[in-house]
Amino acid sequence: MAGLAHRRTLRHTDRSAKAPGTGQTRKGEIRLTESLPPIELTPPDIGPYRRGNTGIDHVTTLESGRPGPHAVIVSLIHGNEISGAVAMDRLFRMGLRPTRGRLTLVFANTAAYQNFDAERPYASRFVDEDMNRVWSPEVLDGPRDSAELRRARQLRPVFDAADVILDLHSMTADTPPLTLCGRTDRARALARRLGHPAWIVADEGHAAGRRVIDYADFAEADGQRTAILVECGQHWRNETALVALESAMRFLLAQEMIDPSLADRHIRRHPDPLRTVEVTEAVTAETDEFFFDQPYVGMEIIPRAGTVLGHDGSRPIVTPYDDCVLIMPARRPKSGQTAVRLGRIVP
């Protein structure tokens, strides 16, 4: 599977596809032409982990037998973000056990993951809807139905029982790894304790719905529980899986749940200093004709206020202040989706 860097014409009907289109052919079908990034990672077989030991498919809890926190590591909230699954498969294969508390490993959107195809890698992000936009009581307890909501409702008791969560993700662009910590001071502190990724982003989330890290009191200022999300790099690079595994090790080390000698084998030295960005606004696309004027990949620092970044239909999108940081610009946002987040570097 490695080295699939050919220029391909992609033809599909999957509503979850994220790649930009060159035109509509007939109803429900989009013809896409683009150079896909190399797919260096091989999706692991997660079948052996299906039964687990919790009564929920693809959820396994590892007990230490000693008092301590309940830590949860999540992968595959999006089915095509396979680096987290690669890292979690490695944790299982090395026979990891926590030295205190308990550790639960979750393969989340397994239905979408089973649809992963290296020829159409964007098409398996989800089955029916984005699983990282459904984590509010109104949605979880509401009448709507989808493959992702059914799975989220299965997983909800796991997150209800968690003290601390690490949610592993990856990105479409070749953006430097970053940690999303929401707005709580405790999540920001945890991101700093990890020590890497070097970029830490404090944000409010998405207008389209709540993420796992926004669920329940994880996002409350006076809550006790903590959740962070690590965007480990470009979806299918080997390096991204290394960052995912290292992030898991750093996370468990911060909880004092593994022996430092075990973590040291997977933790590398990184020269970049920690930098925290506070998001001041999330630009939500109002039309399906949103485009950027430049091929931004994320974490660019735009020196001057008023710089035009792109257009949402006829509306120009401009930087609101000097030294504006662009965070995770979307490749082809649709109406109602987050197009880019804008932020300032803070002490």
Side-chain angles (χ1 to χ4, degrees):
M1 184 176 292
L4 299 178
H6 311 294
R7 184 174 181 84
R8 308 178 182 123
T9 298
L10 308 181
R11 188 180 180 92
H12 62 84
T13 59
D14 195 315
R15 288 172 294 165
S16 66
K18 300 292 287 184
T22 59
Q24 194 80 17
T25 55
R26 61 179 183 266
K27 186 175 181 180
E29 185 176 273
I30 303 172
R31 185 180 296 277
L32 308 175
T33 303
E34 66 166 15
S35 294
L36 291 175
I39 299 179
E40 300 170 352
L41 295 174
T42 300
D45 178 11
I46 64 172
Y49 314 126
R50 178 180 177 182
R51 291 182 65 87
N53 61 1
T54 63
I56 304 172
D57 280 359
H58 290 107
V59 178
T60 300
T61 295
L62 307 174
E63 298 279 359
S64 71
R66 298 177 58 198
H70 180 194
V72 176
I73 301 178
V74 189
S75 69
L76 295 180
I77 286 288
H78 297 127
N80 66 339
E81 299 183 8
I82 62 179
S83 60
V86 172
M88 198 171 292
D89 177 60
R90 182 69 184 278
L91 295 179
F92 275 112
R93 289 176 180 274
M94 70 174 63
L96 179 74
R97 289 293 185 276
T99 56
R100 72 180 189 119
R102 54 183 169 146
L103 170 64
T104 297
L105 303 178
V106 178
F107 297 99
N109 198 343
T110 54
Y113 178 66
Q114 289 167 0
N115 293 331
F116 183 81
D117 180 354
E119 293 295 321
R120 302 164 58 241
Y122 296 103
S124 56
R125 179 175 171 85
F126 51 78
V127 176
D128 295 320
E129 63 176 314
D130 191 329
M131 194 175 180
N132 218 25
R133 303 291 183 271
V134 302
W135 294 95
S136 66
E138 295 78 15
V139 175
L140 292 169
D141 295 331
R144 279 175 39 201
D145 182 54
S146 69
E148 279 71 26
L149 267 171
R150 290 192 294 273
R151 181 60 171 161
R153 288 163 180 152
Q154 287 181 338
L155 296 177
R156 190 178 185 181
V158 178
F159 299 139
D160 285 338
D163 296 310
V164 60
I165 294 174
L166 170 65
D167 189 12
L168 295 171
H169 286 254
S170 58
M171 298 174 280
T172 301
D174 202 5
T175 307
L178 58 92
T179 300
L180 297 173
C181 63
R183 286 296 190 189
T184 69
D185 291 339
R186 62 188 181 278
R188 187 180 304 197
L190 175 57
R192 295 190 68 85
R193 285 203 302 278
L194 264 61
H196 187 76
W199 285 103
I200 299 170
V201 177
D203 73 332
E204 297 283 359
H206 299 273
R210 290 190 186 179
R211 305 162 294 188
V212 168
I213 65 170
D214 305 320
Y215 175 63
D217 61 338
F218 288 101
E220 298 297 331
D222 58 353
Q224 300 298 314
R225 302 188 294 164
T226 307
I228 58 174
L229 183 161
V230 174
E231 298 280 4
C232 299
Q234 202 283 330
H235 289 317
W236 307 300
R237 291 184 59 204
N238 285 328
E239 171 63 19
T240 304
L242 293 177
V243 172
L245 179 59
E246 181 175 356
S247 297
M249 289 295 183
R250 288 175 177 269
F251 171 74
L252 293 172
L253 193 60
Q255 306 306 314
E256 300 179 348
M257 294 179 70
I258 56 173
D259 190 288
S261 63
L262 174 61
D264 287 346
R265 302 174 200 171
H266 305 281
I267 291 178
R268 300 169 291 174
R269 292 185 178 181
H270 300 278
D272 297 333
L274 291 177
R275 289 188 286 184
T276 300
V277 178
E278 287 190 349
V279 172
T280 61
E281 62 181 280
V283 178
T284 301
E286 297 178 357
T287 74
D288 289 339
E289 286 75 44
F290 190 107
F291 64 91
F292 291 101
D293 288 352
Q294 301 291 331
Y296 299 115
V297 298
M299 310 321 291
E300 293 91 348
I301 301 174
I302 309 301
R304 292 188 178 182
T307 301
V308 176
L309 302 173
H311 289 78
D312 188 4
S314 61
R315 177 174 68 101
I317 306 300
V318 300
T319 52
Y321 40 75
D322 292 346
D323 296 327
C324 180
V325 183
L326 309 189
I327 302 156
M328 297 179 65
R331 299 168 70 251
R332 179 73 69 170
K334 295 184 178 180
S335 178
Q337 296 178 342
T338 301
V340 66
R341 283 162 277 192
L342 308 178
R344 287 191 176 100
I345 297 175
V346 296

